[in-house]
Amino acid sequence: MLAVLCLTNHRYGFHRDELATLDDARHLAWGYVAYPPVTPFFGWLSLQLFGTSLAGFRFFAAMAAAASAVLTGLTARELGGGRAAQLLSSALTIPFGLAAGSLMQYVALDYLAWILTAYFLVRLLRSDDPRWWVAIGGAVGLGMLTKYTMLFYVCGILVTFAVSGRWRDLKSRWLWLGATCAILIFLPNLLWQFKHDFISLDFLRHIHERDVRIGRTNDFLPDQLKLTLAAFPLAMAGLCYFLFSPEARRFRGLGWMFLVPLLLFVLAQGRAYYLAPAYALLYAGGSVFLERSVRRWGRPWSITTWSCVSLAVVANIVIAAAFCLPLAPINSAWWKKAAQTNDDLAEEIGWPELVETVAGIRDSMPPEERVGLGILVGNYGEGGAINLYGPAYGLPPAIGGVNSFWERGYGDPPPETVIVLGLTRASLEKVFQSCQTAGQIRNRYGVANEETKEHADIFICHGLRVSWPEFWKKFRHYG
């Protein structure tokens, strides 16, 4: 899987979310408006090792996805599974791993953190060695530095703890050392949030309200079938194995590691993919259950079963690769179908052309207007693209009010004239004395995406009606 991702991740271009991560990676901190610090840190490490190479920037996401597959197989082994169960459970994680590992976002790293936590918990339950609480605490802490939904998994751990009857661990120093470890790892981000008035809570509230408003959370339960495809029966087999099988008595509470986050995401109206990491544990349990069942069925049924399962696994992987990896020639029939299903693909197209267009507009301006010129952006994709490709054209850094861009300010001295992207004429005319359309955002493939459909016009604006500090106070927004 790692090899496939490394061989394909150089195609198309940076996704708009990756451009935000890349820009944040140039400003290392213990926190950011949109996410905790782990993802930008690995983005920074990628920049140090590989420069701005697209495949290099995505390397650690690909590595996290591949490691997740290996850990799932190791989890199956700890559950008592043989080679077949280990390989099957690993293979079942590949479809989502391909999707997560094809973009440098927190998704792949969050996936790894949940699976690592589950692996350590299985080691604890199997060995009855309380020292594993320290490893669990470390994984939880790293997970919290990756994505705050780790809290939902922690709730699952607490229920598992109760159901498994491990009350004696409350007297163990190892449990409290593990809890301390988790808190200490997460503490720098918590302090950052405190210093910034817990700005991420405002961000998350805004994003959640938007997702609910536009219907992204409507199909949470049906979309679980899209996440798992043909693997869904094995996932449910794994859940039943943990909850009811006498053979899994030692691991009885593990089913709640899935059920508790599922319930919490349903109640909180989360997006469907948030639950994806919880399936890895079910895949491990389902694979062990299938392997043990097949042994009792005899050779003819064994061959038939493994053939059907192998076919389903291959189908899952092929479908995921076809729709998630940047494989299809742009604008081919395959591409159009893939982009219709996975709109992330279209958001990887056109960023260099956008910056080239802005540079052309700058070059067409009178020399006196280029002095003190600023580039005002409406979203983080535009800001990240300007900051990535703009230096080659001598463009100034982007300024914007979205997420962490707002905290970096508008420059000193503030710009006198601005080229504006991603905002409407109506909104600009309220704050500038004059605005004129100077160009439009296009890409050489003619691909329709957020930039070309929703805010294609580029403006040149003069004369801010209020002072820059006053304007900046009201310009903050989230996306």
Side-chain angles (χ1 to χ4, degrees), residues 52-122:
T52 55
S53 158
L54 180 59
F57 190 67
R58 293 171 171 173
F59 174 77
F60 286 107
M63 180 67 79
S68 298
V70 174
L71 275 171
T72 304
L74 294 176
T75 302
R77 184 176 71 179
E78 294 301 319
L79 292 171
R83 183 60 56 84
Q86 295 169 41
L87 292 176
L88 174 59
S89 59
S90 293
L92 290 172
T93 67
I94 290 177
F96 187 81
L98 290 176
S102 64
L103 295 174
M104 181 52 183
Q105 300 172 307
Y106 56 66
V107 179
L109 299 169
D110 178 57
Y111 195 54
L112 176 60
W114 281 48
I115 294 174
L116 186 63
T117 302
Y119 171 71
F120 289 146
L121 187 60
V122 170

Side-chain angles (χ1 to χ4, degrees), residues 372-416:
L373 176 69
I375 301 176
L376 185 65
V377 299
N379 64 61
Y380 53 71
E382 297 159 349
I386 293 293
N387 290 346
L388 175 61
Y389 301 113
Y393 297 94
L395 293 175
I399 59 175
V402 63
N403 299 352
S404 294
F405 278 89
W406 184 86
E407 296 185 335
R408 293 164 199 153
Y410 46 80
D412 186 21
E416 300 174 6

Side-chain angles (χ1 to χ4, degrees), residues 396-459:
I399 59 175
V402 63
N403 299 352
S404 294
F405 278 89
W406 184 86
E407 296 185 335
R408 293 164 199 153
Y410 46 80
D412 186 21
E416 300 174 6
T417 302
V418 289
I419 298 175
V420 185
L421 302 85
L423 298 170
T424 64
R425 176 185 286 275
S427 65
L428 292 171
E429 288 178 343
K430 293 178 181 179
V431 294
F432 287 97
Q433 295 176 8
S434 67
C435 285
Q436 63 186 55
T437 304
Q440 285 197 319
I441 297 173
R442 295 285 184 267
N443 58 72
R444 66 178 182 271
Y445 297 105
V447 169
N449 55 25
E450 182 179 330
E451 295 302 311
T452 62
K453 290 188 299 183
E454 298 183 17
H455 32 74
D457 291 334
I458 303 175
F459 303 95

Side-chain angles (χ1 to χ4, degrees), residues 92-97 99-100 107 111 219-232 235 258 262 265 271-279 283 316 319-320 324:
L92 290 172
T93 67
I94 290 177
F96 187 81
V107 179
Y111 195 54
D219 299 321
F220 180 89
L221 291 176
D223 282 349
Q224 300 308 306
L225 294 175
K226 295 180 182 179
L227 280 176
T228 54
L229 298 174
F232 186 77
F258 175 83
L262 170 64
F265 282 130
R271 296 183 65 177
Y273 75 89
Y274 293 175
L275 189 62
Y279 281 100
Y283 292 154
N316 266 13
I319 292 171
C324 298

Side-chain angles (χ1 to χ4, degrees), residues 88 91-92 234 290 302-317:
L88 174 59
L92 290 172
L234 265 179
L290 179 65
S302 173
I303 294 174
T304 302
T305 300
W306 285 120
S307 297
C308 291
V309 169
S310 299
L311 183 62
V313 169
V314 171
N316 266 13
I317 294 172

